Amino acid sequence: MEADIADYFALLKPRVMSLVIFTGLVGMMIAPGSIHPLTAFTALLCIAVGAGASGALNMWWDADIDAVMERTVNRPIPKGVVSAQSAAAFGATLSAASVFVMAALVGYLPAALLAFTIIFYVVVYTMWLKRATSQNIVIGGLAGALPPAIGWASVTGSLAVEPLVLVAIIFMWTPPHFWALALVRNDDYTRAGVPMLPVVAGPDATRTQILLYSLVLVPLGAAPLALGFGGLVYAVASLGLGAGFLVLAVNVWRHRAGDIANKSAMRLFGFSIFYLFALFASLLIERMAGLAAFAPWI
């Protein structure tokens, strides 16, 4: 089979890329100061290309795993439409280009953060942690959490508490989000020999971990209010979404067998995507509408 543009686009993991772009945009929009629209577009493009390149390199390295997992068997490399070597070259070229363009046209700090993100995801997570420890997604989640900091640094040339709080929210969101899916795809990971938490510790222990991480995530999601860069819209969003997240996490913890257990896990997985998008969207809406944030409480 001959590859086409759609096959190479699939290597970029566009659904993951879209969330990365959005969180990077929010980090950029809440940053103090201004940025030229063309520079902002360039920064977001580099974030997108860097994230996509990481996805391509992930698929290159994990081609053997993807070939035996139902969820990933139709990716371009297992299907035989793109060779592993072509995917590696594609990903490496895009990685270098995204970092170089970011450094040349946006700034050295966002370029360094982008380079770190790519290296951490490909080398630390994909090549090492994923096959070595059940905490793979916990530690590896740092890579997917950094786009708000890259967006902020693209405007200011520095870092601050605000983007690091957004990074922390995504970092704490990643385990319950991914483990909810892993509960349903446990057989896939067992067959592939990937030590995901449900495979190593069992589904019940995973459900407990999901609940514990959710209990930390929800108050952390309200931190922008205390720090003064979230307003009334964000308050309503964080409290409402957080309550929904906790209810679904409790349901995952309670329902431990049969179709209802899988349905509970998939509901949390689906809602978790909406949770993160809506939480960050509320910050974006406030900034675009010129709504005032709360004064710091402490």
Side-chain angles (χ1 to χ4, degrees):
M1 297 175 67
E2 186 175 346
D4 56 22
I5 293 176
D7 294 314
Y8 279 94
F9 185 66
L11 286 174
L12 303 178
K13 296 188 176 181
R15 286 185 295 180
V16 175
M17 185 199 300
S18 63
L19 197 56
V20 166
I21 296 170
F22 183 68
T23 57
L25 171 64
V26 173
M28 187 180 296
M29 290 295 293
I30 68 168
S34 61
I35 183 172
H36 191 280
L38 185 57
T39 304
F41 174 79
T42 302
L44 290 175
L45 180 62
C46 289
I47 292 172
V49 172
S54 299
L57 291 170
N58 172 269
M59 290 193 195
W60 156 65
W61 188 262
D62 282 349
D64 59 328
I65 292 175
D66 288 347
V68 298
M69 292 182 62
E70 182 181 345
R71 184 173 68 91
T72 57
V73 71
N74 287 318
R75 285 177 173 175
I77 299 175
K79 281 176 60 178
V81 295
V82 177
S83 70
Q85 293 81 1
S86 296
F90 181 61
T93 300
L94 291 182
S95 295
S98 65
V99 173
F100 176 79
V101 172
M102 183 75 93
L105 300 182
V106 182
Y108 291 120
L109 179 58
L113 290 171
L114 180 60
F116 175 82
T117 299
I118 295 170
I119 293 170
F120 195 89
Y121 182 76
V122 175
V123 178
V124 178
Y125 170 69
T126 301
M127 295 184 176
W128 174 35
L129 294 173
K130 186 171 183 178
R131 306 185 192 219
T133 173
S134 61
Q135 296 300 303
N136 46 23
I137 200 65
V138 177
I139 306 169
L142 178 61
L146 285 172
I150 301 174
W152 178 286
S154 298
V155 178
T156 66
S158 63
L159 288 176
V161 173
E162 292 90 340
L164 295 181
V165 167
L166 299 185
V167 169
I169 290 172
I170 302 174
F171 182 79
M172 293 302 299
W173 165 88
T174 302
H177 162 73
F178 205 93
W179 283 335
L181 178 64
L183 283 171
V184 179
R185 295 293 185 175
N186 192 23
D187 291 344
D188 252 1
Y189 289 113
T190 301
R191 185 165 54 251
V194 178
M196 294 300 295
L197 189 62
V199 176
V200 175
D204 288 350
T206 302
R207 291 184 173 91
T208 299
Q209 288 296 310
I210 287 173
L211 182 57
L212 291 175
Y213 270 88
S214 300
L215 288 170
V216 176
L217 170 65
V218 170
L220 181 61
L225 301 174
L227 293 171
F229 67 98
L232 181 60
V233 174
Y234 187 85
V236 172
S238 63
L239 295 176
L241 292 167
F245 202 106
L246 279 179
V247 168
L248 293 175
V250 169
N251 284 339
V252 170
W253 181 77
R254 289 177 56 238
H255 301 140
R256 305 195 170 204
D259 288 342
I260 191 171
N262 286 339
K263 288 179 181 178
S264 296
M266 288 308 297
R267 286 193 190 102
L268 177 59
F269 174 74
F271 182 81
S272 67
I273 298 172
F274 174 73
Y275 169 87
L276 191 66
F277 173 80
L279 196 69
F280 276 66
S282 65
L283 286 175
L284 185 61
I285 290 169
E286 287 181 339
R287 182 53 56 97
M288 294 180 67
L291 299 177
F294 289 143
W297 296 349
I298 57 174

